[in-house]
Amino acid sequence: MRTLYHEWLSPFCRMARVVLAEKELDFQLVLEKAWERRPEFLAMNPAGETPVLVEPDGEVVVGGEPITEYLEDVYKDRALIGTAPLTRAEVRRLAVWFNVKFHREVTVHIHGEKFLKRFLYEGAPDSQAVRAGMTNIRTHMDYVGYLTDRRLWLGGDEFSIADIAAAAQFSVIDYIGDVPWEQHEPAKDWYARVKSRPCFRSILTDYIPGFPPPTHYADLDF
Amino acid sequence: MRTLYHEWLSPFCRMARVVLAEKELDFQLVLEKAWERRPEFLAMNPAGETPVLVEPDGEVVVGGEPITEYLEDVYKDRALIGTAPLTRAEVRRLAVWFNVKFHREVTVHIHGEKFLKRFLYEGAPDSQAVRAGMTNIRTHMDYVGYLTDRRLWLGGDEFSIADIAAAAQFSVIDYIGDVPWEQHEPAKDWYARVKSRPCFRSILTDYIPGFPPPTHYADLDF
C-alpha cells in the first residue's frame, strides 16, 4: 500500500494529499510526529520533515514539491502542472508564490503562533505576529481575485498545482478560523470551487482532537 | 538576447546563472535592485523578487526553481535533473534541502546579517544569528561529505541541480569568507570540483564594489 507520512495542518502535506487524490491514487495516511525524530523516519528523510511518500514498491520520495513533481512525472494521465513549458513555468511560479511567499507572510505567523506554539506548549501567541499575518493575507486574497478575474483557475484555464498549493495554505488558516472570506468574494468563490472537488474532501474531514475547526470549515456553501 | 535579471549574492540568481551556463545558453546579466520596486520589473514579477528570466522571444519566467525546471523542460540536451523519476525525485529533494533548509539555517543568518544589513544600511550584524549560521553550516558540510562518500555528485553519479543549488548557497557564504573549509575536507573537495567547471566561472568573477571577496574565493586550489 502507498503511504503518506504527514502532520496535521501542514500545508505541504495537504498539497501532497490533494495531488494523490486528484490523480486517483490509493494511499494510506500515517500521522508522523516529526518532532519526536523517530529513527526509522529519519532514515527515510534525514531532514526529519513531512511529507514523505512511500510507494507500493517501497521507494521513498521526500518533500512537498518533489512528491508533486514525482507524481506528475510518473502518473501523467491527469496533468496538474500542464504540458506546454510556459504553462508549466506559470503554474510553478504560482505554486512557489503560495508555498514560499504566502507561507512566510501568512502561515508561519498565524499557524505558527496560534497552532504550533499551543501544540508544542511553547507559550502564548505573539499577537503582533498574528496581526501581521492577518494583514498580509488580504493582499494574497486580492491577488487570487486578480488572477481569477482573468483566468478560470489560478495558473490558467486548468485546475493545477497552483490551485492546490494555494488552497492547501488557505485551508490551514481556515481551519484556525482566520480567513476573512466575507471581505474577499472572488477569493471565496475560487475556494468554494476548490472545496467542492472530490480531491479536497479528505482535507475537509480533518479533525484535530482538542482543536476543532470552525463550523464553516467543511461547509461547501460557507 | 536572453536576459537574466539578478542581484548580487542571491543564491537563487546564482543557481539560474549556473544552469544557463551549464546548458550553454547565451544570456546577458542585468542587475535589478529589487528593493527599489521598479514598476517595469513588478509588471514582470509582482512578487518583486529576482531572478527573472526573459527569453529571446520576450517570454518571462519567474523564480529560481521555475526557471530551472523551465530550462530543463525546454533545453533537454544537457539534463540537470536526471531522467528516471526516482533520480529526479532525489535530485529535487537535495535541491530543496539547500534552497530551503540550508538557506534558512545558514544563508539567512550569515548573508542576511553580514551583507544585506550593511548593504541596506540596517545596522550592525546580530552576532548571535551569525554564530547560529556558523554552527549550522558544519552540519551541512558533514552531509555533503556523507553524500560524496557514497556518490560521485550530491544527487547521484551525474552533476545535477542538487550540486548547483548547494554550490550556489555555499558560494554566497564563501564570498563573505565564512565557510570553514579546512575542517571539512570532503566538502572542500566537492566544492573544488564544482568550481573547476566552466559553468561556475562567472560566479567566481563576481566582484561587489566596496565588498570584495577573500583571496581564496576564486582560487581553484583554495
Side-chain angles (χ1 to χ4, degrees), chain A residues 45-47 49 59-62 65-66 69-70 73-74 85-86 88-89 92-93 96-97 101 104 143, chain B residues 45-47 49 59-62 65-66 69-70 73-74 85-86 88-89 92-93 96-97 101 104 143:
Chain A
N45 180 13
E49 293 167 3
E59 295 287 0
V60 175
V61 185
V62 167
E65 286 112 338
E69 294 279 351
Y70 167 81
D73 278 349
V74 177
L86 283 169
R88 289 162 67 83
R92 286 182 176 123
R93 173 182 80 84
V96 170
W97 181 292
K101 189 174 167 65
R104 181 181 64 213
Y143 193 46
Chain B
N45 181 13
E49 293 168 1
E59 295 287 359
V60 176
V61 185
V62 167
E65 287 111 337
E69 294 280 350
Y70 167 81
D73 279 348
V74 176
L86 283 169
R88 289 163 68 82
R92 287 183 176 122
R93 173 181 81 82
V96 170
W97 180 292
K101 189 174 167 67
R104 182 182 62 213
Y143 193 47

Side-chain angles (χ1 to χ4, degrees), chain B residues 147-191:
Chain B
L147 291 169
T148 52
D149 197 34
R150 286 153 180 81
R151 307 163 168 181
L152 200 49
W153 294 98
L154 298 190
D157 286 339
E158 303 288 341
F159 180 76
S160 74
I161 59 154
D163 300 285
I164 296 173
Q169 299 284 337
F170 274 108
S171 74
V172 168
I173 309 303
D174 199 36
Y175 190 102
I176 298 169
D178 278 350
V179 183
W181 294 119
E182 296 316 319
Q183 292 103 58
H184 298 269
E185 284 294 330
K188 183 181 175 185
D189 291 346
W190 160 81
Y191 190 62

Side-chain angles (χ1 to χ4, degrees), chain A residues 24-43:
Chain A
E24 299 181 12
L25 299 167
D26 284 335
F27 66 102
Q28 61 175 342
L29 267 182
V30 171
L31 183 67
E32 179 66 38
K33 295 174 179 171
W35 62 93
E36 291 182 352
R37 300 183 68 74
R38 194 166 59 86
E40 297 82 1
F41 184 68
L42 289 175

Side-chain angles (χ1 to χ4, degrees), chain B:
Chain B
M1 183 58 153
R2 183 180 288 108
T3 302
L4 184 74
Y5 292 88
H6 85 127
E7 280 166 280
W8 296 121
L9 293 195
S10 153
F12 307 105
C13 296
R14 288 180 162 216
M15 179 169 74
R17 287 165 67 186
V18 176
V19 171
L20 284 162
E22 183 71 22
K23 286 181 180 280
E24 299 182 12
L25 298 168
D26 284 335
F27 66 101
Q28 60 175 341
L29 265 183
V30 171
L31 183 66
E32 179 66 39
K33 296 174 179 171
W35 61 92
E36 293 181 352
R37 300 185 67 73
R38 193 167 59 87
E40 297 82 0
F41 184 67
L42 288 176
M44 290 195 291
N45 181 13
E49 293 168 1
T50 55
V52 169
L53 177 71
V54 182
E55 282 281 82
D57 62 4
E59 295 287 359
V60 176
V61 185
V62 167
E65 287 111 337
I67 288 172
T68 302
E69 294 280 350
Y70 167 81
L71 294 172
E72 189 77 356
D73 279 348
V74 176
Y75 306 101
K76 297 178 189 294
D77 275 358
R78 175 79 190 81
L80 290 175
I81 310 186
T83 45
L86 283 169
T87 306
R88 289 163 68 82
E90 176 65 356
V91 165
R92 287 183 176 122
R93 173 181 81 82
L94 288 162
V96 170
W97 180 292
F98 290 98
N99 285 337
V100 178
K101 189 174 167 67
F102 184 107
H103 183 257
R104 182 182 62 213
E105 296 173 355
V106 178
T107 311
V108 166
H109 294 316
I110 295 177
H111 166 256
E113 294 296 327
K114 293 178 86 166
F115 178 72
L116 282 187
K117 265 194 173 173
R118 171 173 167 174
F119 205 65
L120 300 171
Y121 304 107
E122 288 181 349
D126 174 345
S127 61
Q128 204 175 343
V130 173
R131 268 201 307 278
M134 297 292 289
T135 302
N136 294 340
I137 198 171
R138 295 179 179 280
T139 310
H140 289 278
M141 296 180 83
D142 287 342
Y143 193 47
V144 167
Y146 171 90
L147 291 169
T148 52
D149 197 34
R150 286 153 180 81
R151 307 163 168 181
L152 200 49
W153 294 98
L154 298 190
D157 286 339
E158 303 288 341
F159 180 76
S160 74
I161 59 154
D163 300 285
I164 296 173
Q169 299 284 337
F170 274 108
S171 74
V172 168
I173 309 303
D174 199 36
Y175 190 102
I176 298 169
D178 278 350
V179 183
W181 294 119
E182 296 316 319
Q183 292 103 58
H184 298 269
E185 284 294 330
K188 183 181 175 185
D189 291 346
W190 160 81
Y191 190 62
R193 285 191 286 136
V194 176
K195 277 172 94 168
S196 68
R197 295 180 76 90
C199 67
F200 217 70
R201 254 178 227 152
S202 129
I203 301 294
L204 300 181
T205 60
D206 276 359
Y207 187 95
I208 302 167
F211 197 87
T215 49
H216 77 265
Y217 172 73
D219 182 358
L220 299 186
D221 300 310
F222 63 118

Side-chain angles (χ1 to χ4, degrees), chain A:
Chain A
M1 183 58 153
R2 183 180 288 109
T3 302
L4 185 74
Y5 292 88
H6 85 127
E7 280 166 280
W8 296 122
L9 292 194
S10 152
F12 308 106
C13 295
R14 290 181 162 217
M15 179 169 74
R17 287 165 66 185
V18 176
V19 171
L20 283 162
E22 183 71 22
K23 287 181 180 279
E24 299 181 12
L25 299 167
D26 284 335
F27 66 102
Q28 61 175 342
L29 267 182
V30 171
L31 183 67
E32 179 66 38
K33 295 174 179 171
W35 62 93
E36 291 182 352
R37 300 183 68 74
R38 194 166 59 86
E40 297 82 1
F41 184 68
L42 289 175
M44 290 195 293
N45 180 13
E49 293 167 3
T50 55
V52 170
L53 177 70
V54 181
E55 283 280 81
D57 62 3
E59 295 287 0
V60 175
V61 185
V62 167
E65 286 112 338
I67 289 172
T68 301
E69 294 279 351
Y70 167 81
L71 294 172
E72 189 77 357
D73 278 349
V74 177
Y75 305 101
K76 297 179 189 292
D77 275 357
R78 175 79 190 83
L80 290 175
I81 311 186
T83 45
L86 283 169
T87 306
R88 289 162 67 83
E90 176 65 356
V91 165
R92 286 182 176 123
R93 173 182 80 84
L94 289 163
V96 170
W97 181 292
F98 290 97
N99 284 337
V100 178
K101 189 174 167 65
F102 184 107
H103 184 257
R104 181 181 64 213
E105 296 175 354
V106 178
T107 311
V108 166
H109 294 317
I110 296 177
H111 166 256
E113 294 296 329
K114 293 179 84 166
F115 178 72
L116 282 187
K117 264 193 173 174
R118 171 173 167 174
F119 205 65
L120 300 172
Y121 305 106
E122 288 181 350
D126 174 345
S127 61
Q128 206 175 344
V130 173
R131 269 201 304 279
M134 297 292 289
T135 302
N136 294 340
I137 198 172
R138 295 178 178 280
T139 310
H140 289 278
M141 296 180 83
D142 288 343
Y143 193 46
V144 168
Y146 171 90
L147 291 169
T148 53
D149 196 34
R150 286 155 179 80
R151 307 163 167 181
L152 200 50
W153 295 100
L154 297 190
D157 286 337
E158 303 288 340
F159 180 76
S160 75
I161 59 151
D163 300 285
I164 296 173
Q169 299 283 338
F170 274 109
S171 74
V172 169
I173 309 303
D174 199 35
Y175 190 102
I176 298 169
D178 279 351
V179 184
W181 294 118
E182 296 315 320
Q183 292 103 58
H184 298 269
E185 282 295 329
K188 183 181 174 184
D189 290 346
W190 160 79
Y191 190 62
R193 285 191 286 136
V194 177
K195 278 172 92 168
S196 68
R197 294 180 78 90
C199 66
F200 218 69
R201 256 179 226 150
S202 127
I203 301 294
L204 301 181
T205 60
D206 276 0
Y207 187 95
I208 303 166
F211 197 86
T215 50
H216 77 266
Y217 172 73
D219 181 359
L220 299 186
D221 300 311
F222 64 117

